[in-house]
């Protein structure tokens, strides 16, 4: 699974050289394109050497060697060790120095580097090659015994800890002890003699803590394991440790979280040491070619004079800003060269780079570079700036923005500097952060909101009755349900932060308190909590928030994305619509750049105070009551449509006819039963109870075992044609009035949901057309209202060609289509078994989040069959997947749809992804 799956390298060269030879000629064999063989670090070291930057010479052992070694149960593949020996000899002759030499020894670092940057891997070992003889050579060469002994003790310390797993504290304690004995405060004040004694002591610690059974290749003397003197053995053990670290727990966990394939392996870089700790003409540092926090075009980073390796990031000494480097006389020349190098690297990689460098006695060496990580804000600014600088094209700028990062930018976030008291974790159901007092019911949320208090609605799960409270809440938390549960879908639709499935929360809505599993902390109504729906965490108290904005750079990048996705010279346009049920969502979506409404769910208009009307329609036996209810519904729905069509003037609005099972509009029969029992206990008469009992019987009579597969969607239109009739009339009337009275250009489209049999569509359509004609006549206007099908059942996909004969468009409801293709009930699957399926790798992804290939096949088939019958037909997707980056890509490029429709807050992301899909299709065509 994940990135890098199926990368196969057959060519068996296992070692690749980089840097120059003894004549100063570059002998680099790899380049930046080879990260799957050389790892990111190795590939970029090769690339830097190739373009003439000063890189200490060395060689890279391939990732495939690591994989072969690991797969064989830690056995070296044939020929690999001798290839490494040759590379060492080659390096020795390139440098004119030998490993372990007692006059002028070659010293190297051993550095891991996987195809993707990965914390959790083995740390770097510096100064490898030192032993009791070669340390003398280092003293002779540098005429600096202190430096030499310090390098040696650092090596023993790193090697023992990193390669052999000896506890680092043992060495730190010995060092502290030594400082005390010598009466000095800093390591740098220890004398050469002190350090020489430390070396003896460190070797002693090694002998006491390494077992010979684990390392039979180590020498024994007096029954004790000796620190390895032979540099080649040191090197082999270090390389084996890097290989071994690929499968350690931390690394595996990191890969799992970041979906990086376990099959990739890591490369090992063996590189000549350069020293930033040779006095005041030496330094080491890290830098970015631009500011990675906000994108400002400036050199950004830190350095330390007279320091080695990780000292800069370890924070032991105060670093200096990179801009000061050129101001230090001894380092100015190297500093200027570094600044030139920044420019060379940016021009070469055409992106912001991060860099590690060392200055050894005034001479600059480049130790690492890669395209640097950046915040979302910086990513946008850098992309826009680089287009203006002529460094990259608009297309490249658009393809570089990470949709997930954009998602974060559009919502408020926790202040990164705040300390978090995390109470529990759940699913990251709807991004953004929120702070508020806990309330346990929708009514309490509304009451608190009316008093101007911010609340987080905490529920076991939500249902359509909670809508009011959900609307006013700053955030929503449920202890049950998955990422497509009611709470999650509604929250995403409203752009409200939501954390779902917080299982540790035991909510007692009656007592109004929450017990937290594994903690004494009890939360009460009114307690303030903070939630982060992007990370799925719940925090005690109020965390400071930083708010996001649609910056100028975001607008710019998205306007480029629009140009790309809507360009028809390069293929079908990729449109983006929005799922919106009311005028305010429509308005919001327009500001986010939606072109039209792809799904308007009319039943949401039946909730709230209108619930009584629909209830009396459903429950009454008398025609007069029912007719009256229908008239009322017609009136209010017409008003709704007037508003929405007016807001969307000139833009399509796809209105879906009533979809959910009717009992969703009725009261909970359990509550009604309790009410009856209570009245009975209070001595109510049969007469008084009769009406309630009849009601309960009717509600019970409507209950279904599998409502999701029951009387809903188009089936309602067949069984109760009055309902769709009324809805079509409302749509048509609103449109006719806007045309006649206001001179507007309303563009409704009518969509029939849950069709599986062609005849369902045909009959419903016939009724609808009838009503359209009546309204045309009544208002004296001509209405052009396309009637289409919501395709969300596998059968409909198969008979798509048939349905297309009387259908002007298809919109794929991929939630139901996924549900019915898998036979998974969405309401249960996500909480009951999908997490386990993911854990056991039965599934790679949750199919309700990222569209499954088989569902794409169904969509593609239906599009093809539809288009064959009706070439001008149009196709869209309006499920949750319409806002998921990976799904958007396949809908456009594999299924060939014309638009995706998603919740308002996902519209900017969909615009970006729709453009990226177009670019990807183009580059595939060009390839
Ligand atoms: P990481 O992947 O954690 O960044 P690196 O392999 O880059 O690990 O090494 C850690 C530190 O050691 C870096 O600061 C790097 O500059 C330094 N380093 C690595 N190799 C050498 C070398 N040959 N000479 C001098 N410093 C080195
Ligand atoms: Mg590094
Ligand atoms: Mg549906």
């Amino acid at each position: 699974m994940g990135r890098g799956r199926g990368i196969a390298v057959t060519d068996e060269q296992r070692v690749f050289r980089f840097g120059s030879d003894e004549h100063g000629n570059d002998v680099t064999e790899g380049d930046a394109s080879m990260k799957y063989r050389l790892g990111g670090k190795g590939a970029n070291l090769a690339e830097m050497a190739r373009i003439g930057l000063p890189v200490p010479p060395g060689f890279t052992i391939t990732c495939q060697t690591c994989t072969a070694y690991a797969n064989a149960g830690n056995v070296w593949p044939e020929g690999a060790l001798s290839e490494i020996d040759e590379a060492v000899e080659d390096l020795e002759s390139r440098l004119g120095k030998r490993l372990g030499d007692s006059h002028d020894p070659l010293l190297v670092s051993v550095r891991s580097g996987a195809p993707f940057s990965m914390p959790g891997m083995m740390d770097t070992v510096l100064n490898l090659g030192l032993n009791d003889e070669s340390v003398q050579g280092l003293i002779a060469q540098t005429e600096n015994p202190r430096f030499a002994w310090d390098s040696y003790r650092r090596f023993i310390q790193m090697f023992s800890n990193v390669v052999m797993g000896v506890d680092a504290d043992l060495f730190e304690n010995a060092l502290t002890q030594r400082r005390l004995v010598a009466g000095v405060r800093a390591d740098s004040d220890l004398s050469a003699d002190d350090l020489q004694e430390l070396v003896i002591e460190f070797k002693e610690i090694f002998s006491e803590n390494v077992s010979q059974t684990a390392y039979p290749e180590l020498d024994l003397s007096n029954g004790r394991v000796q620190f390895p003197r032979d540099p080649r053995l040191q090197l082999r053990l270090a390389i084996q440790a890097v290989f071994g670290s690929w499968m350690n727990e931390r690394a595996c966990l990191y890969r799992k979280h970041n979906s990086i394939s376990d099959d990739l392996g890591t490369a090992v870089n063996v590189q000549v040491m350069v020293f930033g700790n040779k006095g005041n003409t030496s330094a080491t540092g890290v830098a970015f070619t631009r500011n990675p926090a906000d994108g400002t075009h400036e050199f950004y980073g830190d350095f330390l004079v007279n320091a080695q390796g990780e000292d800069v990031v370890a924070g032991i000494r105060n670093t200096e800003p990179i801009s000061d480097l050129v101001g230090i006389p001894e380092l100015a020349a190297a500093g200027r060269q570094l600044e030139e190098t920044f420019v060379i690297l940016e021009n070469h990689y055409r992106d912001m780079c991060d860099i590690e460098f060392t200055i050894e006695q005034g001479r600059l060496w480049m130790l690492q570079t890669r395209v640097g990580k950046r915040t979302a804000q910086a990513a946008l600014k850098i992309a826009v700036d680089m287009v203006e600088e002529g460094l990259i094209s608009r297309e490249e700028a658009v393809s570089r923005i990470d949709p997930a990062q954009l998602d974060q930018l559009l919502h408020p976030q926790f202040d990164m500097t705040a300390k978090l008291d995390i109470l529990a974790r759940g699913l990251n159901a709807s991004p953004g952060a929120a702070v508020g007092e806990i309330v346990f019911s929708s009514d309490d949320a509304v009451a608190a909101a009316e008093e101007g208090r911010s609340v987080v609605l905490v529920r076991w799960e939500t249902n359509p009755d909670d809508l009011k409270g959900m609307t006013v809440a700053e955030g929503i938390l449920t202890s049950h349900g998955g990422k497509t549960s009611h709470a999650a879908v509604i929250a995403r639709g409203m752009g409200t932060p939501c954390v779902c499935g917080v299982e540790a929360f035991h909510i007692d809505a009656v007592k109004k308190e929450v017990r937290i599993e594994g903690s004494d902390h009890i939360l009460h109504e009114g307690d303030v909590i903070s939630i982060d729906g992007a990370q799925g965490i719940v925090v005690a108290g109020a965390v400071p928030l930083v708010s996001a904005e649609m910056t100028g750079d975001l607008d710019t990048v998205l306007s480029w994305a629009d140009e790309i996705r809507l360009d028809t010279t390069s293929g079908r346009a990729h449109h983006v619509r929005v799922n919106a049920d009311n005028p305010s969502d429509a308005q919001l979506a327009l500001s986010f750049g939606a072109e039209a409404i792809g799904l308007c769910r009319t039943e949401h208009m039946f909730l709230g105070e209108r619930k009584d009307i629909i209830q009396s329609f459903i429950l009454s036996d008398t025609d007069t009551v029912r007719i009256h209810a229908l008239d009322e519904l017609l009136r209010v729905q017409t008003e709704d449509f007037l508003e929405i069509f007016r807001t969307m003037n000139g833009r399509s609005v796809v209105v879906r006819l009533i979809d959910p099972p009717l009992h969703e509009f009725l009261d909970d029969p359990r509550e009604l039963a309790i009410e009856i029992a209570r009245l009975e206990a209070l001595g109510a008469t049969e007469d008084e109870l009769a009406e309630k009992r009849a009601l309960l019987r009717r509600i019970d009579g409507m209950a279904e075992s599998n409502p999701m597969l029951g009387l809903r969607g188009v089936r309602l239109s067949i069984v109760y044609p009055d309902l769709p009739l009324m809805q079509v009339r409302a749509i048509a009337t609103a449109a006719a009035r806007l045309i006649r009275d206001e001179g507007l250009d309303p563009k409704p489209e009518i969509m029939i949901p849950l069709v599986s049999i062609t005849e369902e569509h045909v009959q419903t359509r016939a009724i609808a057309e009838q009503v359209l004609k009546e309204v045309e006549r009544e208002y004296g206007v001509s209405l052009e209202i396309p009637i289409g099908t919501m395709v969300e059942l596998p059968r409909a996909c198969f008979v798509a060609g048939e349905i297309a004969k009387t259908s002007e468009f298809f919109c794929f409801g991929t939630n139901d289509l996924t549900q019915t293709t898998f036979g998974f009930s969405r309401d249960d699957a996500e909480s009951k078994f999908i997490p386990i399926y993911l854990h056991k790798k039965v599934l790679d992804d949750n199919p309700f989040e990222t569209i499954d290939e088989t569902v794409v096949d169904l969509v593609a088939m239906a599009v093809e069959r539809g288009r064959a019958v009706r070439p001008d037909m149009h196709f869209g997707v309006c499920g949750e997947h319409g806002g998921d980056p990976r799904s958007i890509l396949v809908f456009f490029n594999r299924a060939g749809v014309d638009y995706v429709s998603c919740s308002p807050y996902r519209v900017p992301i969909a615009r970006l992804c729709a453009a990226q899909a177009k670019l990807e299709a183009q580059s595939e065509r060009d390839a």
Side-chain angles (χ1 to χ4, degrees):
M1 59 166 282
R3 289 185 282 176
R5 173 170 44 180
I7 298 292
V9 175
T10 45
D11 179 356
E12 277 297 31
Q13 183 177 349
R14 296 199 180 277
V15 181
F16 290 74
R17 306 191 287 174
F18 59 82
S20 50
D21 66 7
E22 62 272 35
H23 310 297
N25 299 325
D26 180 44
V27 295
T28 303
E29 292 173 312
D31 62 46
S33 71
M34 294 173 65
K35 75 170 181 184
Y36 284 105
R37 302 184 73 177
L38 306 181
K41 201 179 282 167
N44 285 320
L45 282 169
E47 189 76 10
M48 284 199 292
R50 237 173 226 289
I51 62 173
L53 294 176
V55 174
F59 58 86
T60 305
I61 306 162
T62 61
C63 302
Q64 286 67 38
T65 312
C66 169
T67 318
Y69 176 87
N71 288 348
N74 295 351
V75 175
W76 281 92
E78 197 165 309
L81 280 174
S82 55
E83 234 184 291
I84 293 171
D85 279 342
E86 280 167 35
V88 171
E89 276 164 36
D90 170 70
L91 191 61
E92 287 178 334
S93 68
R94 279 155 73 189
L95 268 292
K97 298 179 176 199
R98 298 185 63 79
L99 273 179
D101 193 274
S102 57
H103 298 290
D104 184 11
L106 173 67
L107 301 180
V108 295
S109 64
V110 176
R111 321 172 63 186
S112 60
F116 298 98
S117 132
M118 237 183 75
M121 297 287 304
M122 192 198 85
D123 290 331
T124 298
V125 177
L126 302 178
N127 308 340
L128 187 139
L130 281 170
N131 58 26
D132 293 349
E133 285 83 50
S134 61
V135 72
Q136 296 302 336
L138 194 59
I139 293 172
Q141 279 303 312
T142 59
E143 293 170 6
N144 187 343
R146 193 197 169 279
F147 164 77
W149 287 110
D150 190 44
S151 300
Y152 193 12
R153 73 92 191 157
R154 280 177 188 246
F155 168 58
I156 300 172
Q157 191 170 350
M158 272 194 237
F159 185 90
S160 306
N161 172 241
V162 169
V163 178
M164 313 297 281
V166 180
D167 186 355
D169 285 348
L170 298 172
F171 298 97
E172 285 302 332
N173 292 344
L175 197 57
T176 310
Q177 201 57 39
R178 180 63 49 179
R179 278 201 308 266
L180 285 177
V181 171
V184 299
R185 291 184 52 193
D187 292 351
S188 51
D189 295 330
L190 290 170
S191 71
D193 287 346
D194 292 330
L195 293 163
Q196 186 172 359
E197 277 175 48
L198 258 185
V199 163
I200 298 170
E201 217 175 309
F202 277 12
K203 286 198 282 191
E204 199 58 29
I205 296 175
F206 179 93
S207 298
E208 278 165 18
N209 291 282
V210 175
S211 96
Q212 213 248 343
T213 28
Y215 296 97
E217 52 275 79
L218 293 179
D219 284 343
L220 282 182
S221 111
N222 306 330
R224 284 152 56 89
V225 161
Q226 300 300 304
F227 188 82
R229 302 157 47 113
D230 174 7
R232 276 163 213 262
L233 177 58
Q234 293 173 354
L235 183 60
R236 184 154 62 81
L237 289 170
I239 297 169
Q240 286 174 186
V242 175
F243 284 173
S245 71
W246 176 253
M247 289 312 288
N248 77 22
E249 215 179 292
R250 267 200 309 158
C252 289
L253 207 66
Y254 180 85
R255 285 198 295 275
K256 202 169 152 222
H257 279 304
N258 293 276
S259 40
I260 296 173
S261 165
D262 281 343
D263 308 333
L264 291 178
T266 180
V268 182
N269 302 287
V270 178
Q271 186 174 30
V272 170
M273 282 301 301
V274 290
F275 295 95
N277 53 342
K278 280 189 174 170
N280 288 337
T281 56
S282 302
T284 186
V286 295
F288 288 84
T289 55
R290 304 193 182 208
N291 185 320
D294 64 15
T296 306
H297 197 168
E298 63 187 359
F299 302 135
Y300 182 97
D302 304 287
F303 70 96
L304 270 177
V305 176
N306 195 14
Q308 187 177 36
E310 304 285 15
D311 294 356
V312 178
V313 277
I316 6 185
R317 278 161 55 194
N318 283 335
T319 57
E320 296 172 60
I322 210 82
S323 50
D324 289 359
L325 197 55
V326 288
I328 300 175
E330 299 94 320
L331 299 171
R336 274 190 298 277
Q337 194 192 345
L338 181 65
E339 293 189 350
E340 285 159 20
T341 305
F342 287 160
V343 178
I344 293 172
L345 282 172
E346 271 215 348
N347 286 334
H348 184 71
Y349 284 92
R350 301 166 63 245
D351 207 340
M352 178 191 79
C353 296
D354 79 18
I355 284 156
E356 290 176 11
F357 67 92
T358 282
I359 300 170
E360 182 181 59
Q361 296 178 315
R363 183 153 180 208
L364 175 69
W365 292 100
M366 300 303 294
L367 287 170
Q368 190 172 325
T369 195
R370 68 191 154 195
V371 169
K373 291 222 160 50
R374 63 206 75 180
T375 63
Q377 193 196 346
L380 289 166
K381 175 158 174 53
I382 290 170
V384 171
D385 284 353
M386 285 189 167
V387 170
E388 275 164 17
E389 291 159 27
L391 208 55
I392 60 173
S393 65
R394 291 179 172 192
E395 284 75 13
E396 277 178 294
V398 166
S399 61
R400 273 182 191 180
I401 306 297
D402 174 8
Q405 231 186 356
L406 197 61
D407 201 13
Q408 287 168 19
L409 191 72
L410 294 169
H411 296 87
Q413 296 160 48
F414 281 172
D415 182 346
M416 303 253 281
T417 59
K419 218 177 100 44
L420 304 181
D421 174 9
I422 296 181
L423 291 173
R425 288 174 190 279
L427 299 169
N428 50 341
S430 174
V435 178
E437 297 173 21
I438 295 179
V439 288
F440 293 96
S441 76
S442 179
D443 289 342
D444 290 343
V446 173
E450 274 165 8
E451 289 170 24
R453 289 183 284 135
S454 302
V455 296
V456 174
L457 179 62
V458 174
R459 304 274 293 160
W460 188 68
E461 209 172 30
T462 60
N463 61 51
D465 274 338
D466 293 324
L467 213 58
K468 260 192 180 165
M470 295 171 81
T471 314
V472 298
E474 299 291 319
I476 297 163
L477 183 159
T478 64
S479 60
H480 191 75
K483 283 204 213 175
T484 52
S485 62
H486 181 265
V489 173
I490 298 296
R492 278 199 294 277
M494 300 190 304
T496 302
C498 174
V499 180
C500 279
V502 184
E503 285 171 7
F505 266 37
H506 296 281
I507 299 168
D508 189 331
V510 178
K511 280 202 204 151
K512 299 197 172 179
E513 62 177 41
V514 183
R515 278 183 307 103
I516 305 171
E517 207 169 287
S519 151
D520 300 334
H521 206 129
I522 292 182
L523 294 169
H524 302 277
E525 187 180 43
D527 288 354
V528 173
I529 58 169
S530 305
I531 62 169
D532 182 331
Q535 301 186 68
I537 54 179
V538 188
V539 178
V543 178
L545 302 184
V546 285
S547 69
E549 338 161 15
M550 281 276 252
T551 62
D553 292 328
L554 177 58
D555 263 354
T556 307
V557 169
L558 289 180
S559 73
W560 294 339
D562 291 347
E563 268 168 37
I564 294 165
R565 71 188 172 84
L566 297 176
D567 173 21
T568 48
T569 59
S570 57
R572 205 182 294 287
H574 291 178
H575 296 284
V576 173
R577 295 186 172 187
V578 65
N579 299 346
D581 309 331
N582 55 60
S584 67
D585 275 0
Q587 196 61 54
L588 181 69
L590 286 177
S591 75
F592 281 149
E595 298 166 63
I597 292 182
L599 176 64
C600 178
R601 288 161 291 204
T602 46
E603 60 271 13
H604 286 193
M605 300 171 174
F606 294 161
L607 296 172
E609 53 257 38
R610 300 163 179 188
K611 213 164 145 178
D612 292 342
I613 318 176
I614 182 104
Q615 282 184 354
S616 66
F617 170 78
I618 300 169
L619 295 172
S620 170
D621 306 311
T622 31
D623 277 350
T624 44
V625 175
R626 291 167 64 95
I627 290 169
H628 179 70
L630 272 178
D631 282 348
E632 271 299 285
L633 286 172
L634 175 63
R635 193 180 58 77
V636 294
Q637 290 236 293
T638 308
E639 290 301 318
D640 291 330
F641 290 134
L642 277 171
E643 263 301 294
I644 292 186
F645 298 166
R646 203 180 279 130
T647 308
M648 298 299 288
N649 186 33
R651 300 167 185 271
S652 298
V653 177
V654 177
V655 181
R656 177 177 71 182
L657 299 182
I658 188 163
D659 182 54
L662 292 183
H663 72 86
E664 277 194 16
F665 301 112
L666 302 179
D667 293 322
D668 184 348
R670 267 185 304 182
E671 277 171 23
L672 190 57
I674 293 170
E675 168 78 2
I676 292 172
R678 199 177 60 88
L679 292 174
E680 274 173 349
L682 290 174
T685 65
E686 271 314 302
D687 259 7
E688 287 166 336
L689 287 171
E691 196 187 329
K692 289 207 185 308
R693 285 198 204 282
L695 188 60
L696 181 59
R697 263 197 308 279
R698 274 196 91 96
I699 295 179
D700 280 341
M702 303 205 67
E704 297 178 85
S705 306
N706 289 309
M708 269 298 165
L709 300 175
L711 182 54
R712 54 173 288 228
V714 70
R715 299 160 204 172
L716 286 170
S717 302
I718 304 288
V719 177
Y720 305 107
D722 287 348
L723 269 180
L725 222 107
M726 175 280 292
Q727 290 196 302
V728 173
R729 188 174 296 279
I731 295 164
T733 305
R737 277 171 54 183
L738 290 175
I739 295 171
R740 195 192 62 184
D741 305 342
E742 301 181 31
L744 295 181
D745 179 23
K747 290 191 156 173
E749 303 179 23
I750 292 171
M751 179 157 73
I752 305 172
L754 213 76
V755 170
S756 107
I757 307 161
T758 312
E759 189 59 19
E760 291 172 325
H761 180 83
V762 171
Q763 291 192 13
T764 308
R765 183 186 173 97
I767 302 174
E769 281 180 327
Q770 188 68 38
V771 177
L772 292 182
K773 286 217 189 71
E774 283 170 28
V775 176
E776 279 185 326
R777 246 178 279 127
E778 187 181 334
Y779 284 83
V781 296
S782 94
L783 295 172
E784 270 174 44
I785 301 183
I787 301 174
T789 323
M790 185 148 179
V791 177
E792 46 190 338
L793 293 173
R795 191 180 190 285
C797 297
F798 287 106
V799 299
E802 276 297 311
I803 299 176
K805 288 181 188 160
T806 56
S807 181
E808 270 112 349
F809 64 90
F810 285 169
C811 187
F812 294 91
T814 50
N815 299 342
D816 269 314
L817 192 54
T818 298
Q819 178 160 252
T820 48
T821 298
F822 279 83
F824 284 179
S825 149
R826 176 157 58 116
D827 302 296
D828 303 313
E830 285 203 294
S831 55
K832 295 279 182 348
F833 58 84
I834 285 183
I836 299 166
Y837 269 43
L838 294 173
H839 178 73
K840 293 197 167 176
K841 296 195 174 180
V842 176
L843 280 172
D844 280 345
D845 297 296
N846 179 345
F848 292 108
E849 275 172 38
T850 298
I851 197 81
D852 184 68
E853 289 294 315
T854 60
V855 182
V856 182
D857 285 342
L858 285 170
V859 173
M861 177 181 74
V863 170
E864 196 187 305
R865 293 184 179 184
R867 226 172 236 146
V869 171
R870 194 186 278 268
D872 61 342
M873 202 167 170
H874 68 131
F875 301 89
V877 169
C878 61
E880 280 292 298
H881 303 97
D884 171 67
R886 274 198 283 163
S887 309
I888 292 174
L889 213 70
V890 288
F891 286 138
F892 282 123
N893 288 355
R894 202 151 85 67
V897 303
D898 299 290
Y899 65 87
V900 293
S901 190
C902 56
S903 57
Y905 283 91
R906 282 180 157 188
V907 165
I909 291 158
R911 286 162 70 196
L912 178 75
C913 295
Q916 290 181 342
K918 196 91 183 271
L919 292 171
E920 196 179 283
Q922 271 164 20
S923 78
E924 253 159 44
R925 259 203 310 276
D926 296 347

